[in-house]
Structure formats: structure tokens, C-alpha cells
Amino acid sequence: MTDYPLLSRLDLNLLVALDALLTERSVTRAAEQLRLSQPALSASLSRLRIHFGDPILARRGNTYELTPLALRLADHTTTALEAARRVFESQATWDPAESVREFSIFGSDYGFTTIGRVASELAAERAPGVHFRFMLHNPTVVEDAANRLRSVDGMVIPHGFLTELPYVDLWQDDWVAIVAESNESVGDSLSREELSSLPWVMNYQSRSAFTSAERQVQQLGIEPNVEVVVESFLAIPHFIAGTRRVGIIHSALVPIAMRAAGVRVVGLPFAPTPITNALWWHPVHSHDPEHSWMRSLFEEAGRVVAEGKHI
């Protein structure tokens, strides 16, 4: 049961002050961020210390460090502040053309370069005050998606990583292999022997972060000779150009890869399983009319990407 008497005694401004103090780890810098006087923020810190029974900031020489409790509060504070902001920004009626809302989306550089770019362009035409914040996900974010998506608007990621969250399918993509244009030892297609012997550039490659194509290679009994692991799809062609290396990227990135680096597409000795990219969100956003508008925008952008018109 919600403790309403406790909540009624809390000052939302203290949450703002706490977030700034946890971020800056300095009363002076936090006061500058909030455009407050240092004595005013020091007074807020005193109230926070009384409330939590903890110093929050502990002096270590000439600097301050977060206490163990403050470290635990950091993620919760950001989530709570974002949730409060969304509550008070909600409107009975919403006109996209008049909105100044920021939508925050987790994803990969692949997702941002394809559907993210198209969605932002569509929004610029119809809602010039709306803007996006695209943030790179990582294994930690993906594993904690059910919690992280409470304070952001969505995550663009293929099926296979998230479950039990609402989503909308965006577009399907294929995998292709690339080698350097200068690599004359490889013909128009790769053999299984070449996949085993050539050095690889792989993306992520961990228990919780992998691509379906790379996993499929291993499931076929091919043990890649991994020479480079890079947590970026757009960087893969640059690590292949001018080398003997091989890598696998999404077909939607091929035009970008060929413009950015000296690579070419070659055939694979197996048929890679296509991926279905989707936009995922937390159920708390499902009935938000602004969020619904954003989701429809991404659906439209997905159709543009599927038709190859984003290139």
C-alpha cells in the first residue's frame, strides 16, 4: 500500500537536488547545474542527510565520494525523477505540431543509422519541436530492460533478447558477409574452410551479447578465428578494409559500409536466419497518447527502411 502521509511530507525539489548531487558529486558543481546558490544546495543536502540518516557525500581528501547508500540511490533517483517529469508533462490533449517533448530510445548504431534517422526526419516534418535522444545500449541495459524502460521511451532491438514486454515489429533484415576489396584470395563466396581459417571481426561476442548470424556460424561447427571484437556495427567495415579479415553485417548497412570503407559483399556457405527488428517499451507507456504517436512514427519509418528508401 502506498504510504501517502510519507509522500505528502516529501519535497520534490529534494529529488532534483539529490539527482544533481549524485551526478556531480560536488555541492559547488551541483549548485551551478541547478543555478542555485551554494548555501541553498547545502541546505538541501542537510535535509537529505537527515532523511536518509546517511552523509550521501563523504569527504575523501580534497574531493567527495558517494557513500554506499548513495551509490544504490543513483539509478533509482534518475528513474524516479524521469517518472515525475513525465507525470507533470502529461496533457489532456496533445498536438504533435506544438509539442516540445524529448523521446529517449536505446539501441545500437545500426538501429540509429537506419530507423532512428528516418524516424527523426519524419518527426522534424510533422512535429518540429519534438526531438530524440538516442542512447547506445549495452549488455547491462538489455539484461535490465524491464527496469530501464520505465524511464525511457523504448529500445530498438531484434527479437531474441527481450520477453514479456510490449513491442511492435518494424522491419526484417538479412545478414551478409564482407571482405576487403583488396582481398583477392576470396572469390564471390566464402567456403566453410575459409570461415574457419580467415581472421574475423566480430560484434560483441559474449554470453548475453551476440548476433544471431555469428551464433549460427558456431552452431554449424565453425569456430571463427576472432582477431577483433568491436561493439559497433558501423565500425566493422573499417576493421576489415585492407586486411584478410571477414565479418558479417546487416544488409541495410551495406551501402553505408561500401561508401565508408573498401569492402565488398561475398556469399556465405549457409543461409543466415533473418532478424526481425522491433521497438520495445514498458507497459506504463502503453496508453500515453504521445508515446502512441511515437510508436506509429517508428512503424512508418520501419516501412521506409524495409523498402530501402533510407539509403
Side-chain angles (χ1 to χ4, degrees):
M1 180 180 294
T2 303
D3 190 342
Y4 290 109
L6 174 61
L7 289 177
S8 68
R9 295 194 299 270
L10 296 180
D11 181 352
L12 185 59
N13 289 322
L14 286 180
L15 185 61
V16 176
L18 178 61
D19 183 63
L21 289 165
L22 295 176
T23 301
E24 299 295 339
R25 305 188 181 198
S26 162
V27 174
T28 301
R29 292 196 300 271
E32 291 174 352
Q33 176 189 322
L34 298 176
R35 298 181 181 179
L36 296 174
S37 68
Q38 189 167 331
L41 195 59
S42 293
S44 294
L45 178 57
S46 296
R47 294 177 62 188
L48 288 165
R49 284 170 167 168
I50 293 171
H51 175 81
F52 289 109
D54 185 88
I56 307 298
L57 292 177
R59 182 177 286 280
R60 296 289 185 270
N62 295 325
T63 63
Y64 284 96
E65 293 181 358
L66 298 183
T67 65
L69 174 64
L71 289 170
R72 296 201 305 272
L73 289 173
D75 283 344
H76 296 302
T77 301
T78 301
T79 300
L81 192 60
E82 177 64 18
R85 182 185 68 81
R86 290 179 184 277
V87 167
F88 288 102
E89 283 184 350
S90 298
Q91 300 174 353
T93 59
W94 183 69
D95 181 1
E98 301 296 326
S99 176
V100 292
R101 174 162 172 172
E102 176 182 274
F103 291 102
S104 52
I105 306 292
F106 274 122
S108 66
D109 55 357
Y110 157 64
F112 300 158
T113 306
T114 51
I115 197 164
R117 180 171 65 84
V118 175
S120 68
E121 290 172 354
L122 292 174
E125 295 172 359
R126 302 165 191 178
V130 166
H131 53 288
F132 287 90
R133 181 181 298 272
F134 292 109
M135 304 170 294
L136 288 170
H137 60 43
N138 56 48
T140 301
V141 169
V142 174
E143 290 170 4
D144 191 35
N147 180 51
R148 297 296 183 102
L149 287 176
R150 286 181 177 273
S151 57
V152 300
D153 291 292
M155 182 182 298
V156 175
I157 193 170
H159 283 271
F161 298 93
L162 305 182
T163 58
E164 300 180 357
L165 287 170
Y167 66 88
V168 59
D169 288 335
L170 300 175
W171 86 102
Q172 194 174 80
D173 206 352
D174 296 309
W175 296 101
V176 298
I178 56 172
V179 297
E181 289 181 343
S182 59
N183 189 351
E184 297 180 353
S185 66
V186 176
D188 294 333
S189 62
L190 290 158
S191 65
R192 290 195 177 212
E193 291 72 21
E194 287 173 321
L195 287 181
S196 297
S197 62
L198 288 173
W200 276 74
V201 179
M202 278 198 167
N203 186 269
Y204 296 105
Q205 200 197 29
S206 70
R207 180 175 299 179
S208 59
F210 54 87
T211 67
S212 59
E214 291 169 353
R215 180 60 57 86
Q216 196 173 348
V217 168
Q218 295 172 319
Q219 290 173 340
L220 291 172
I222 300 170
E223 290 301 328
N225 170 23
V226 182
E227 195 166 88
V228 175
V229 175
V230 56
E231 295 187 1
S232 164
F233 292 104
L234 291 175
I236 290 176
H238 296 281
F239 284 87
I240 290 176
T243 73
R244 297 180 58 252
R245 297 168 181 160
V246 61
I248 294 178
I249 64 172
H250 309 83
S251 62
L253 292 182
V254 168
I256 299 171
M258 295 181 74
R259 289 197 302 266
V263 296
R264 60 188 173 92
V265 174
V266 292
L268 285 162
F270 63 92
T273 303
I275 61 169
T276 300
N277 294 291
L279 174 68
W280 305 75
W281 65 91
H282 194 278
V284 298
H285 305 309
S286 292
H287 302 295
D288 177 355
E290 300 170 48
H291 196 277
S292 178
W293 176 84
M294 185 271 294
R295 298 196 300 264
S296 68
L297 197 75
F298 269 80
E299 286 187 89
E300 182 177 349
R303 292 191 290 271
V304 173
V305 174
E307 295 170 1
K309 295 178 180 179
H310 67 290
I311 301 170

